[in-house]
Amino acid sequence: MELIFLGTGAGAPSRRRNVTAIALRLTRDDSTVWLFDCGEATQHRMFDAPFGPNRVDRVFITHLHGDHIFGLPGLLSTRSFPENVGPLRLYGPPGIRAFVRATLDGSQTHLSYEIQFHEWTSPEPAPVREGLYTVRAALLDHAIPSYGYRVEEAPFPGRLHADRLRAEGLQPSPLWARLKAGEDVTLPDGRRLRAADFVDPAEPGRVIAILGDTRPCKAAVELARGADCLVHEATFLDRHAHLASAFFHSTARQAAEIAREAEAKCLILTHVSARYERAEEDEILAEARAVFPNTLLAHDGMVYEIARRKRDV
């Protein structure tokens, strides 16, 4: 499981930062890519990524400001070129369907695949199950409806002890799969085998929170609660907190306070204003680390691997 930061800037692109787009690369059981926001030229950034638009099969839009969606029509069009590309599920606030349909229809772009639209209709929509993952969304505090996302991975099955099963005279068979799935089984001779005696406890899955533009709010804390990784905007430095509040954004310090309150394990800052030069970006990171030490500042092209959790002993 990897986060790949395709764009980490806010509002408008700069020489060092393109506008917002984050890819979540999932390789458990099957290799797929989920995209969170799609700012202008996102597909260009994929030239240097280990995947292309055709590998993206889920897109989660946080809100409809242009720096988060203007790259979507181009990516959707390019995705249509490979043969036999599968459908794409697109999640986002009300209006995302109208935006996509208007741009594709106006440009007479004909896709070779189906887009399955899912627009959020409440501040806390019902969780969505996507294979091994559950996605929770919640409305944040921004100038227009902006959602944050929490991705929860299913637990990893515990290790099956084949040596113990063979010692019981049980050779590989469908009964092994049933035991690994946590089911007790009865053998033909009447013996009852308990799964707990042959399979280690499950390992917990990972949790990632990726938030859209927001001022500090309770929903941000709850989405990030206990997360292995929280991705939070840091548009402004604390000395510009008045601008952050006026424009419905957060400072680096405020993002760190959210991570601390949520007891997240790691904080990654993104969505940095183009007003800041490189030296000031060092200040952004230092400001957050003073509150939450395990903080990183994302840059375009950065890859962050989310390690598997350790099972509680």
Side-chain angles (χ1 to χ4, degrees), residues 21-312:
I22 303 169
L24 175 60
R25 191 178 181 210
L26 305 169
T27 57
R28 181 178 170 185
D29 290 351
D30 191 16
S31 181
T32 186
V33 175
W34 293 3
L35 187 63
F36 292 80
D37 286 334
C38 188
E40 178 183 351
T42 289
Q43 65 172 321
H44 295 200
R45 299 292 178 164
M46 292 183 182
F47 292 139
D48 296 321
F51 60 88
N54 60 309
R55 298 299 298 276
V56 176
D57 63 4
R58 305 288 189 276
V59 176
F60 297 85
I61 298 298
T62 61
H63 64 294
L64 302 187
H65 277 152
D67 57 326
H68 294 254
I69 63 171
F70 282 168
L72 194 52
L75 182 140
L76 295 176
S77 175
T78 299
R79 189 179 184 274
S80 196
F81 281 92
E83 295 182 0
N84 302 319
V85 68
L88 180 140
R89 294 186 186 176
L90 177 56
Y91 296 87
I96 188 61
R97 180 198 300 264
F99 169 76
V100 169
R101 290 267 49 105
T103 53
L104 296 182
D105 292 346
S107 61
Q108 297 188 37
T109 299
H110 303 287
L111 303 182
S112 63
Y113 60 90
E114 175 191 7
I115 299 179
Q116 300 167 354
F117 292 94
H118 301 265
E119 292 188 337
W120 307 122
T121 57
S122 68
E124 293 187 23
V128 174
R129 183 68 180 270
E130 289 284 4
L132 294 170
Y133 305 90
T134 299
V135 181
R136 304 179 189 275
L139 190 65
L140 302 173
D141 182 11
H142 195 47
I144 64 173
S146 178
Y147 282 83
Y149 294 100
R150 177 184 176 92
V151 180
E152 300 172 348
E153 183 182 32
F156 289 84
R159 180 171 67 95
L160 181 71
H161 291 273
D163 55 336
R164 298 179 191 174
L165 290 172
R166 288 192 172 95
E168 293 288 339
L170 184 61
Q171 297 304 312
S173 72
L175 292 179
W176 282 32
R178 290 170 57 187
L179 285 165
K180 187 168 179 62
E183 180 184 349
D184 297 342
V185 301
T186 300
L187 302 184
D189 61 11
R191 284 181 297 155
R192 185 75 171 167
L193 300 186
R194 296 174 60 249
D197 294 334
F198 300 93
V199 182
D200 288 340
E203 295 181 9
R206 292 159 284 192
V207 177
I208 302 168
I210 301 176
L211 307 189
D213 292 3
T214 186
R215 293 190 293 202
C217 62
K218 181 180 178 181
V221 175
E222 293 309 314
L223 285 171
R225 182 75 64 190
D228 294 276
C229 180
L230 164 62
V231 180
H232 197 293
E233 67 134 292
T235 310
F236 293 100
L237 280 164
D238 197 53
R239 66 172 181 264
H240 295 133
H242 61 292
L243 295 178
S245 179
F247 294 105
F248 294 84
H249 286 292
S250 295
T251 67
R253 179 182 299 276
Q254 289 170 336
E257 290 169 346
I258 293 291
R260 182 178 62 186
E261 184 176 353
E263 298 183 329
K265 295 178 175 60
C266 174
L267 169 65
I268 302 181
L269 303 176
T270 188
H271 201 268
V272 178
S273 172
R275 71 172 55 229
Y276 298 121
E277 301 295 334
R278 189 180 299 276
E280 291 173 301
E281 291 184 0
D282 293 339
E283 186 179 349
I284 288 173
L285 184 57
E287 182 176 288
R289 283 181 170 172
V291 176
F292 190 83
N294 193 18
T295 299
L296 302 173
L297 178 61
H299 57 81
D300 286 17
M302 173 177 151
V303 179
Y304 180 80
E305 182 176 356
I306 297 94
R308 286 174 59 170
R309 294 185 171 196
K310 298 298 184 181
R311 185 177 66 248
D312 294 334

